[in-house]
């Protein structure tokens, strides 16, 4: 199931891991 | 113009379309210049990051009217052709050094790197106050997409995702046909892509073998924020297949194109899906996106539009049945630029030059039709821009019918081709007698010029980041569900 408010799956943590990138040290991304 | 049709269209979806139809026109004021915007009469100074394949293709749509002053690429071999096309532009290998040296000289940046570098480059550009045109899909992940949306709002810059079909006559006409009510309500929609651009790498079970890094490539900078690993040319040659470097296989790469007309017409960016589910997947492993997939998105009602189920297929047909009344052998998707047959003329430009009129010129001269850099993979069947899935015998459900989308309406079917460069009603007998509704959406020269107008204080680009982020995020969420162990 897709949680529209949280923009993540409510029942699939493995898929959720792909919704935010791995960032190598020194590559922090902040607005 | 048929006044009755115009009136009916406006009432059909009412206020839901507020903002969907640009009022257009240049809004340049003295205050805008203090925010980094230029008047329509001034040329922008543009830098491009990533000039291997897509960079030159998108630059040509801006170079016709603006100055290209700086270029950057981590790969000396891939960028050689692009660098040669702009001999007066300063050349860099590290985009961070480009901004250090050129920030005061540039107004805008075009980003055409692999997907995993879109966010670092676009974010730094906006932090320098530069307008940004970023190739599609906008980002690899929804988290990054939201980051860029927030940055665009904070730094008040003009943005555009490079899904050029959104400015094509076919896409705009598809919207107008749907809004006219001529196909009725749409509760079901199907979209197909072919195989992954560049093909599916044949990896050994242990993954890519370590290989010496060519002296012409800055491998560490190519990797950017992704996990450090040994070089293998499959990663730079076929990065679209790799989970770490791309958005989501062929669907992740192409849904912003194939679903473009639907996204705009059905106003899908105004809601989030209530369900994202991978219902079929084939050929997945820990490094690569799947070979085939069928992903279903459920969208809630938007104003007076009912909920809609969106089926998306990578490299397969699924259970889709042709609309009733289609003759044996009748094609599902229209030819590219088929609206010329209905009196909507436009020049067939290259991939970065979606011109929509034969009358448009720059400084009184026709715009250059050269599209720039090479586009090495032919439009063969099975390719994402091709005419469908692999031409293999066997189960017809495993062969995509083409590259495009089909709207299933309560009063008829409408099909769009590829990025929206073709549109027609089905069956062909209905299209033959169909009269197009009035043009109500603003037309422009091409997708790059749509952004440039915005950079100069005009109306926002049709695919500014706040609009593009939702469809780009969907390109990731669906394939992510497919590759998870539970699928």
């Amino acid at each position: 199931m897709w949680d529209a408010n949280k923009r993540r799956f409510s029942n699939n943590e493995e898929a959720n891991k792909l919704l935010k990138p791995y960032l190598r040290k020194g590559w922090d991304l902040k607005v | 113009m048929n006044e009755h049709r115009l009136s009916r269209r406006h009432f059909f979806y009412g206020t839901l379309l507020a903002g969907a139809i640009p009022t257009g026109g240049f809004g340049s004021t003295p205050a805008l210049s203090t925010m980094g915007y230029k008047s329509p009469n001034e040329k922008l100074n543009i830098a491009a990051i990533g000039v291997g394949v897509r960079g030159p293709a998108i630059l040509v749509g801006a170079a016709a009217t603006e100055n290209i002053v700086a270029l950057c690429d981590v790969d000396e071999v891939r960028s050689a052709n692009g660098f040669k096309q702009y001999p007066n532009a300063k050349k860099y290998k590290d985009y961070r050094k480009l901004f250090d040296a050129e920030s005061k000289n540039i107004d805008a940046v075009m980003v055409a790197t692999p997907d995993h570098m879109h966010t670092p480059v676009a974010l730094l550009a906006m932090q320098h106050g530069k307008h940004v045109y970023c190739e599609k899909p906008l980002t690899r992940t929804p988290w990054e997409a939201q980051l860029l949306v927030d940055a665009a709002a904070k730094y008040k810059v003009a943005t555009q995702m490079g899904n050029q079909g959104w400015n094509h006559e076919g896409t705009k006409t598809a919207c107008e046909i749907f809004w006219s009510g001529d196909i009725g309500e749409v509760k079901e929609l199907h979209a197909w892509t072919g195989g992954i651009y560049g093909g599916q790498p044949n990896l050994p079970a242990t993954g890519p073998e370590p290989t010496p890094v060519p002296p012409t490539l800055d491998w560490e900078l190519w990797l950017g924020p992704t996990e450090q690993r040994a070089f293998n040319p499959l990663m730079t040659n076929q990065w679209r297949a790799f989970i770490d470097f791309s958005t989501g296989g062929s669907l992740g790469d192409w849904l912003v194109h194939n679903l473009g007309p639907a996204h705009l017409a059905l106003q899908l960016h105004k809601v989030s899906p209530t369900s994202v589910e991978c219902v079929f997947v084939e050929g997945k492993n820990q490094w690569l996106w799947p070979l085939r997939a069928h992903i279903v998105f459920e969208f809630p009602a938007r104003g007076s539009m009912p909920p809609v189920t969106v089926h998306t297929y990578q490299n397969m047909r699924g259970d889709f049945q042709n609309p009733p009344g289609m003759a044996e052998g009748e094609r599902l998707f229209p030819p590219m630029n088929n609206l010329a047959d209905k009196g909507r003329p436009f020049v067939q430009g290259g991939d970065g030059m979606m011109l929509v009129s034969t009358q448009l010129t720059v400084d009184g001269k026709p715009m250059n039709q050269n599209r720039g850099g090479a586009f090495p993979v032919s439009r063969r069947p099975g390719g994402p821009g091709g005419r469908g899935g692999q031409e293999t015998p066997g189960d017809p459900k495993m062969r995509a019918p083409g590259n495009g989308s089909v709207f299933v309406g309560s009063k008829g079917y409408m099909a769009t081709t590829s990025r929206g460069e073709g549109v027609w009603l089905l069956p062909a007998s209905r299209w033959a007698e169909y009269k197009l509704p009035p043009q109500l959406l603003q037309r422009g020269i091409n997708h790059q010029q749509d952004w440039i107008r915005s950079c100069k204080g005009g109306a926002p680009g049709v695919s500014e980041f706040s609009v593009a982020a939702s469809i780009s995020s969907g390109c990731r969420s669906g394939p992510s569900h497919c590759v998870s162990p539970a699928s």
Side-chain angles (χ1 to χ4, degrees), chain A residues 8-26:
Chain A
R8 63 200 310 275
F9 295 96
S10 57
N11 60 349
N12 194 325
E13 279 310 308
E14 288 298 318
N16 284 334
K17 289 177 183 173
L18 294 173
L19 302 181
K20 185 176 179 181
Y22 168 89
L23 297 175
R24 200 156 34 136
K25 189 177 180 184

Side-chain angles (χ1 to χ4, degrees), chain A residues 1-5 7 9 11-31, chain B residues 95 123 127 140-143 146-147 154-155 220 224-228 272-274 276 476-477 480-481 483-485:
Chain A
M1 291 298 294
W2 180 254
D3 185 328
N5 292 324
R7 296 181 192 176
F9 295 96
N11 60 349
N12 194 325
E13 279 310 308
E14 288 298 318
N16 284 334
K17 289 177 183 173
L18 294 173
L19 302 181
K20 185 176 179 181
Y22 168 89
L23 297 175
R24 200 156 34 136
K25 189 177 180 184
W27 287 87
D28 290 343
L29 300 174
K30 292 177 183 169
V31 173
Chain B
Y95 73 97
L123 178 62
Q127 288 169 332
R140 273 183 308 163
T141 66
W143 182 87
Q146 188 58 51
L147 190 79
K154 177 177 179 179
Y155 298 106
E220 285 300 312
T226 65
E227 200 167 0
Q228 212 285 330
S272 291
T274 53
V276 180
R476 179 73 172 196
S477 60
S480 294
H481 196 246
V483 298
S484 68

Side-chain angles (χ1 to χ4, degrees), chain B residues 264-330:
Chain B
L264 290 171
L266 273 61
Q267 296 285 285
L268 297 179
H269 69 282
K270 299 203 168 176
V271 295
S272 291
T274 53
S275 173
V276 180
E277 185 177 10
C278 178
V279 296
F280 178 86
V281 62
E282 177 184 304
K284 63 176 181 175
N285 65 44
Q286 67 185 93
W287 295 283
L288 304 177
W289 294 107
L291 180 66
R292 288 191 173 88
H294 175 190
I295 302 165
V296 182
F297 298 80
E298 301 284 354
F299 286 89
R302 290 89 54 225
S304 57
M305 294 186 201
V308 59
T309 301
V310 178
H311 294 263
T312 64
Y313 311 87
Q314 174 177 307
N315 207 17
M316 61 182 285
R317 181 187 179 92
D319 291 324
F320 178 80
Q321 301 294 315
N322 277 353
M326 281 181 70
E328 181 74 23
E330 186 179 326

Side-chain angles (χ1 to χ4, degrees), chain B residues 315-393:
Chain B
N315 207 17
M316 61 182 285
R317 181 187 179 92
D319 291 324
F320 178 80
Q321 301 294 315
N322 277 353
M326 281 181 70
E328 181 74 23
E330 186 179 326
R331 62 190 292 174
L332 190 61
F333 298 115
M336 304 277 275
N337 302 322
N338 72 316
L339 289 174
D341 298 339
K342 294 273 189 191
R344 296 277 171 89
F346 44 87
V347 176
Q348 291 188 36
D351 176 295
M353 294 285 286
M354 293 296 177
L355 301 185
V356 294
S357 168
T358 55
Q359 308 302 314
L360 296 166
T361 60
V362 175
D363 298 333
K365 300 171 186 171
M367 287 185 73
N368 182 4
Q369 287 300 292
N370 295 328
R371 93 179 162 203
F375 210 69
V377 177
S378 64
R379 294 288 193 255
R380 65 186 186 280
R387 303 302 312 169
Q390 306 287 351
E391 296 296 335
T392 52

Side-chain angles (χ1 to χ4, degrees), chain B residues 157-176:
Chain B
V157 293
T159 59
Q160 183 95 303
M161 179 170 74
N163 47 335
Q164 66 270 36
W166 285 30
N167 261 300
H168 195 278
E169 179 69 26
T171 295
K172 291 172 185 284
T173 300
C175 291
E176 290 158 352

